[in-house]
Amino acid sequence: METLADRIDRVNERIQQACRRSGRKAQEILLVAVTKTLPAERLLEALTEGLTHFGENYIQEAKQKIEQIHQGTWHFIGHLQSNKAKIAVKLFSMIETLDRLSLAEELNRQAELSGKVLEVLLQVNEAGEDSKSGLPPDQIPSLLEAAPSWSHLRLRGLMAIPPYEPDPEPSRRWFRSLYQWQGKWQSRFPDLDLSQLSMGMSHDFETAIEEGATIIRVGTALFGSRS
Ligand SMILES: *Cc1c(COP(=O)(O)O)cnc(C)c1O
């Protein structure tokens, strides 16, 4: 039987190999363990094994687990409704899926009310898929223009979920283009911090690392298939 510790070792080894291939350092990569559908007991085990950052997609599910566990650093990676902004601010350190101005304003308002500074990434819908949240690249600059007015949000970079491909190689172009958008927007908005790129999941995170990912979101490779 493969243990969680074995799986973590294997993921870390894959991270290191991708970093070696691309001349990067493994410390530059933040591993976010995606724990949707996982019961709290498995989460406690993950904490014991040294995982520190966790990603959840659904507010209700996350609330139950986070309030029970009271540990870890939590990233929200699902679609966030504005009426859940208040609870999201309470539970999460980073919202990776900010995709509209009205949501930014509501998160900022709630963060201010609770005296907290919330980290955010802008979700980019590079392929313009209807099934996914995120803004098409041409609408991102309007949010970047507004970002300095968000007193209680700290913009850290970009996030993307490219079209699903079973093999990693076809996704490379989307990872590469997100990196290129980052460069373009960073030079156009030099006072903003767009340094973080969240891209890559269990089956393609090596490719994402080779193309500049700083945050990878990994579920099945750590915990097995969700079924
Ligand atoms: C579920 C999920 C992941 C993790 O996917 P795996 O293939 O299990 O690694 C990563 N990112 C998002 C946004 C997800 O919803």
Side-chain angles (χ1 to χ4, degrees):
M1 243 309 261
E2 199 182 33
T3 65
L4 175 59
D6 296 334
R7 287 191 163 130
I8 295 173
D9 284 347
R10 202 139 47 84
V11 166
N12 281 327
E13 185 53 39
R14 287 171 60 190
I15 293 172
Q16 274 159 19
Q17 281 170 4
C19 283
R20 270 198 293 278
R21 279 198 297 278
S22 49
R24 303 186 58 197
K25 294 194 179 69
Q27 306 92 272
E28 295 170 24
I29 314 297
L30 176 66
L31 172 63
V32 172
V34 175
T35 49
K36 60 180 171 231
T37 77
L38 221 65
E41 304 81 71
R42 302 283 313 281
L43 265 161
L44 287 170
E45 187 192 356
L47 280 158
T48 309
E49 294 297 345
L51 294 175
T52 54
H53 287 67
F54 301 94
E56 285 279 342
N57 297 58
Y58 306 101
I59 292 288
Q60 228 16 65
E61 180 190 342
K63 179 174 184 292
Q64 285 185 352
K65 290 192 265 187
I66 298 172
E67 288 179 346
Q68 192 175 340
I69 291 166
H70 270 305
Q71 293 172 69
T73 303
W74 295 85
H75 291 222
F76 188 73
I77 60 171
H79 177 71
L80 186 58
Q81 294 170 288
S82 295
N83 62 4
K84 301 275 167 58
K86 181 176 179 180
I87 178 78
V89 163
K90 186 168 161 224
L91 297 173
F92 292 92
S93 299
M94 179 184 271
I95 306 295
E96 294 202 11
T97 48
L98 180 56
D99 63 355
R100 55 200 191 276
L101 190 58
S102 58
L103 178 61
E105 288 168 349
E106 182 59 12
L107 284 170
N108 187 61
R109 199 172 75 84
Q110 295 296 343
E112 182 167 18
L113 285 171
S114 53
K116 186 173 168 180
V117 173
L118 185 67
E119 294 197 303
V120 296
L121 303 179
L122 299 183
Q123 182 179 2
V124 187
N125 188 341
E126 291 188 277
E129 292 173 282
D130 289 338
S131 61
K132 286 191 185 132
S133 309
L135 280 175
D138 64 349
Q139 292 178 37
I140 294 284
S142 65
L143 266 79
L144 296 174
E145 275 159 22
S149 70
W150 305 332
S151 56
H152 289 68
L153 302 184
R154 192 148 93 87
L155 178 62
R156 301 298 319 279
L158 309 171
M159 180 271 204
I161 311 168
Y164 179 77
E165 296 282 352
D167 298 318
E169 207 49 41
S171 297
R172 187 181 295 278
R173 56 177 284 232
W174 300 113
F175 298 143
R176 186 168 294 176
S177 67
L178 192 69
Y179 179 84
Q180 289 165 346
W181 285 118
Q182 177 197 38
K184 237 175 264 176
W185 293 328
Q186 187 66 83
S187 16
R188 186 168 154 198
F189 298 91
D191 296 335
L192 297 180
D193 170 13
L194 296 180
S195 59
Q196 302 301 307
L197 278 187
S198 174
M199 54 187 194
M201 326 204 307
S202 287
H203 71 294
D204 60 9
F205 69 72
E206 289 105 321
T207 311
I209 289 172
E210 288 165 16
E211 299 298 331
T214 64
I215 300 175
I216 57 173
R217 309 177 307 265
V218 179
T220 35
L222 291 169
F223 304 112
S225 67
R226 284 178 291 273
S227 70

